[in-house]
Amino acid sequence: MVAESSGTEQLAAPSADDVREQLARILSSDKFQLPDRARNFLQFVVTETLEGRSEYLKAFTIAHDVFGRGDTFDAQSDPVVRIEAGRIRRELERYYLLSGPVERVVITIPKGGYVPAFEFNPEFKGVEPAEAETLPQIQHRLGFPPAIPEPLKTGFRTGFTLKAALAAAVVGLVITSTLLIRAVFTDFRFTSVATPSDRPAIAVERFRDVSVNDRSSGMSLGLTDEIIGNLVKFKEIMVIEGTAAVARNRSISGYILQGSVRVESDKVRSIARLVRRSDGVIIWANNYDSDLRAQSAFEIQDALARDIASAVAQPFGVIFQTDTKDIASQSVGGVDAYTCTLAYYSYRTEMTQQAHEVAKDCLEEATSRAPADATMQAFLSLLYLDEVRFSYKLGVKPLPASLEKSFKLAERAVELDPQNARALQALMLANVFRNDIQSALRAGAAAYAINANDTEVAGEYGLRLAMSGKWDTGCGLVSNAVSKGAGPKGYFEVGMALCAFIEGDLGAAELWSRMSDLNYNPMHHMVLTAILGASGRVDEARTELNWLTEHAPALMPNIAREVAVRIARPEDRERIFAGLRAAGAEIEKSPSATN
């Protein structure tokens, strides 16, 4: 069905019928993944608002009418309404990120209350699908190539299917492990053939049921399944169900994820730990406490699985911190997927030219010998891109050829594996620096849809949304990524500094900026210079400007173009330039970001 936009509807608020139609679309979509009581919550507050009773939408009313709480309900001791409202806000945000321009009306629940807001979608394109889209359909709409046909996978890719028990659906996930060429890194010559063990394996044991009752038994099994379902989205690792396969094959390296679940009354205590298989050392552990009065068992399982998977497998997470020490400062000992992955993350931590060359050499060899590995192609794309976006830090001249190489590698990675979040992240960033912002955001939306638990994907996508002018949505994603320990250290903190700066909170902007790694990138010093200049602290701003002149002499003469390629809206760029001018910088005329 095609609905034509009048071009003037943005001047008025949606009608009650418009809102009801949109609410029905949301609640019937498989992209809106919330349990019944959250759906009832959303339907209740929307209906009450449309009926003119929004002033009664308080925590007590919602708890009484939606959740069946009694007259003694106390919002301070029972956070059920507040928790549920936050969950609905996040899910609505995710829904609109996935659905984008096909949604005519936007429904939100602004923070600080429970009264929903309704507005027309300024990005509405006038085309509405007949039914809810699946992830492959979303990717097709966004313009990404189809997955490699199964017959073409024979001989270089194997897989198996696992089911993750979710509150609203059971999702079948295909895990692919690409065979690489294993080598001894002596004069860059390969001497043997790789196996799937080139990636670290995480064997997930079933979480123990400490309470030994039907309730806790179901939770322990469900939690285990959902952890597996979340882990397999990270393509840098191999996931094994149970430890039997590991015991049979001593050549498999990696880790064992263990845990337990205890249920007492309405309280749930979950414990998780990651054990290094080679020596039995516990390299990570954490406790999680949940309340069955505020969340259902399904919701607790889902939240815990996301947190555990992110902590363990996210970029710069536990397993990629353990073995990276000293890799980037010396020649690596072998060329395989895991070694090159560690070299890449070690480089991003150190951000030195030497570490960059080590990682690049490793990945060049790995991709030449294993051209079907989408993740390695994506890492190499990001390394070439860094020669452009971090050229001042790396001390190299940004060349158009490096950007084009990065783009081609990212395109190839997505072609090899359209559901590889790292490949889509690389394509997003390459498109940013090619000044194709819309293509960049489409790639970022697809990456986020595939693995929202990947903090680097979520953070980078959030940054690009923010810098494209969607500051509220983008900064929310960046903030969430920072709260989950997204790395490398200091990188996303400067994004938060920009968010606060554009919002006009100069105090918070300075704090975030100083929390970032100022030695990581001269652009971080530039942001702090603008913040101090805008704050009227001219002497401190000039100190930062002098640092830039000494350590990155080519940056400030080109600062207008460097800012324009990152910040889309002229008014946002001008705010940064005003702060820099207050520090004494001379800014040439800002070029168009689309030139």
Side-chain angles (χ1 to χ4, degrees):
M1 179 177 69
V2 177
E4 294 183 357
S5 171
S6 67
T8 61
E9 62 188 9
Q10 304 299 330
L11 299 178
S15 68
D17 287 342
D18 290 331
V19 174
R20 290 190 180 95
E21 180 181 350
Q22 182 63 40
L23 178 63
R25 283 174 56 80
I26 292 172
L27 294 177
S28 65
S29 172
D30 63 0
K31 294 195 290 289
F32 191 70
Q33 300 177 354
L34 283 179
D36 287 344
R37 76 173 186 175
R39 293 167 178 270
N40 294 339
F41 185 136
L42 179 60
Q43 188 162 20
F44 177 77
V45 297
V46 168
T47 301
E48 291 296 290
T49 300
L50 293 178
E51 295 294 332
R53 296 188 289 271
S54 61
E55 68 271 21
Y56 299 112
L57 290 178
K58 309 298 183 183
F60 179 85
T61 308
I62 296 169
H64 185 274
D65 290 1
V66 178
F67 302 131
R69 294 294 198 266
D71 293 340
T72 59
F73 172 78
D74 180 5
Q76 296 299 317
S77 60
D78 188 345
V80 60
V81 178
R82 185 171 66 254
I83 292 172
E84 207 68 63
R87 184 175 296 110
I88 293 170
R89 290 187 186 101
R90 292 191 295 273
E91 190 62 23
L92 283 171
E93 179 182 89
R94 178 179 179 274
Y95 174 82
Y96 282 108
L97 285 175
L98 297 182
S99 298
V102 303
E103 302 296 337
R104 182 167 175 262
V105 175
V106 176
I107 298 176
T108 58
I109 300 180
K111 293 181 179 179
Y114 307 111
V115 179
F118 318 120
E119 61 181 353
F120 283 110
N121 184 359
E123 297 183 354
F124 178 60
K125 301 300 183 184
V127 178
E128 299 188 35
E131 58 185 18
E133 295 175 291
T134 63
L135 179 57
Q137 289 171 328
I138 293 170
Q139 292 178 312
H140 176 74
R141 168 166 59 80
L142 296 177
F144 296 107
I148 301 172
E150 286 299 326
L152 298 183
K153 296 181 181 180
T154 303
F156 66 84
R157 186 170 296 194
T158 60
F160 58 95
T161 301
L162 295 170
K163 290 184 178 179
L166 301 178
V170 177
V171 181
L173 296 169
V174 177
I175 309 167
T176 59
S177 298
T178 304
L179 302 184
L180 297 176
I181 306 299
R182 179 174 294 279
V184 176
F185 209 143
T186 304
D187 297 329
F188 302 101
R189 289 195 297 267
F190 287 81
T191 59
S192 61
V193 178
T195 70
S197 62
D198 285 342
R199 282 183 169 80
I202 297 182
V204 183
E205 292 184 351
R206 174 174 173 173
F207 275 41
R208 291 186 300 110
D209 172 16
V210 179
S211 305
V212 193
N213 58 54
D214 291 341
R215 196 179 197 184
S216 57
S217 178
M219 287 195 68
S220 65
L221 179 57
L223 178 58
T224 305
D225 286 343
E226 293 214 28
I227 289 172
I228 292 172
N230 280 277
L231 284 174
V232 296
K233 297 176 183 179
F234 292 92
K235 297 301 181 76
E236 294 90 339
I237 64 174
M238 180 171 62
V239 183
I240 299 172
E241 186 174 14
T243 54
V246 177
R248 289 194 299 268
N249 189 349
R250 302 297 298 180
S251 66
I252 296 178
S253 61
Y255 308 89
I256 299 173
L257 182 64
Q258 304 170 330
S260 63
V261 175
R262 181 191 300 274
V263 180
E264 294 184 4
S265 186
D266 291 321
K267 305 296 183 181
V268 180
R269 164 65 64 87
S270 304
I271 299 174
R273 63 182 184 180
L274 191 68
V275 181
R276 189 164 55 206
R277 185 169 171 269
S278 61
D279 55 13
V281 171
I282 298 173
I283 64 171
W284 172 84
N286 204 1
N287 296 346
Y288 302 87
D289 290 320
S290 309
D291 191 336
L292 285 165
R293 295 176 301 168
Q295 296 174 281
S296 70
F298 285 127
E299 292 167 328
I300 290 172
Q301 290 168 188
D302 179 56
L304 289 177
R306 290 172 180 268
D307 286 347
I308 292 169
S310 292
V312 169
Q314 70 179 348
F316 308 97
V318 174
I319 63 175
F320 295 115
Q321 290 176 351
T322 304
D323 298 324
T324 55
K325 186 177 181 181
D326 298 329
I327 282 185
S329 60
Q330 59 190 358
S331 295
V332 295
V335 178
D336 57 41
Y338 189 37
T339 301
C340 291
T341 297
L342 293 179
Y344 171 79
Y345 286 129
S346 186
Y347 146 69
R348 286 300 307 277
T349 300
E350 293 192 10
M351 283 302 292
T352 64
Q353 186 176 15
Q354 181 185 6
H356 180 271
E357 290 303 314
V358 169
K360 185 176 176 182
D361 287 343
C362 187
L363 286 163
E364 290 277 16
E365 283 295 312
T367 54
S368 68
R369 298 289 182 161
D373 190 318
T375 302
M376 295 299 101
Q377 298 270 354
F379 282 142
L380 188 56
S381 168
L382 291 167
L383 282 174
Y384 273 103
L385 182 65
D386 283 3
E387 295 175 5
V388 177
R389 62 173 179 160
F390 298 142
S391 59
Y392 303 104
K393 173 63 178 173
L394 296 177
V396 298
K397 184 178 181 180
L399 299 174
S402 295
L403 179 56
E404 187 62 19
K405 179 74 170 177
S406 172
F407 177 66
K408 293 298 184 184
L409 284 164
E411 274 195 322
R412 175 59 177 158
V414 173
E415 179 184 346
L416 288 168
D417 187 356
Q419 296 195 35
N420 188 311
R422 194 71 60 234
L424 288 162
Q425 174 195 341
L427 185 62
M428 171 182 67
L429 293 175
N431 273 318
V432 165
F433 285 84
R434 294 174 79 244
N435 295 325
D436 188 350
I437 301 301
Q438 292 308 309
S439 294
L441 294 181
R442 286 196 298 270
Y448 183 73
I450 290 167
N451 191 2
N453 295 327
D454 188 321
T455 53
E456 188 177 21
V457 163
E460 288 282 19
Y461 179 43
L463 278 177
R464 307 312 147 187
L465 278 172
M467 293 178 183
S468 72
K470 300 176 182 179
W471 290 97
D472 286 345
T473 301
C475 293
L477 290 179
V478 177
S479 176
N480 189 51
V482 170
S483 71
K484 292 184 177 181
K489 181 182 178 182
Y491 179 75
F492 291 110
E493 281 78 358
V494 80
M496 292 301 298
L498 268 176
C499 290
F501 181 69
I502 295 299
E503 191 176 297
D505 189 342
L506 298 179
E510 182 187 354
L511 287 174
W512 278 114
S513 184
R514 294 193 184 281
M515 287 171 63
S516 71
D517 184 354
L518 292 174
N519 292 323
Y520 182 87
N521 184 355
M523 293 295 288
H524 293 193
H525 282 274
M526 183 278 295
V527 172
L528 180 56
T529 304
I531 293 168
L532 293 171
S535 302
R537 295 158 61 182
V538 177
D539 290 342
E540 294 174 75
R542 285 177 178 166
T543 298
E544 290 296 322
L545 190 61
N546 291 337
W547 186 96
L548 288 167
T549 301
E550 179 181 353
H551 294 90
L555 174 59
M556 293 310 296
N558 299 294
I559 194 61
R561 183 168 298 278
E562 293 292 336
V563 171
V565 80
R566 292 168 170 84
I567 307 294
R569 297 195 309 185
E571 61 267 37
D572 296 333
R573 297 198 295 266
E574 186 53 41
R575 182 172 294 187
I576 294 172
F577 295 149
L580 293 174
R581 292 190 186 101
E586 295 183 4
I587 310 295
E588 74 272 26
K589 183 178 179 181
S590 174
S592 170
T594 58
N595 288 345

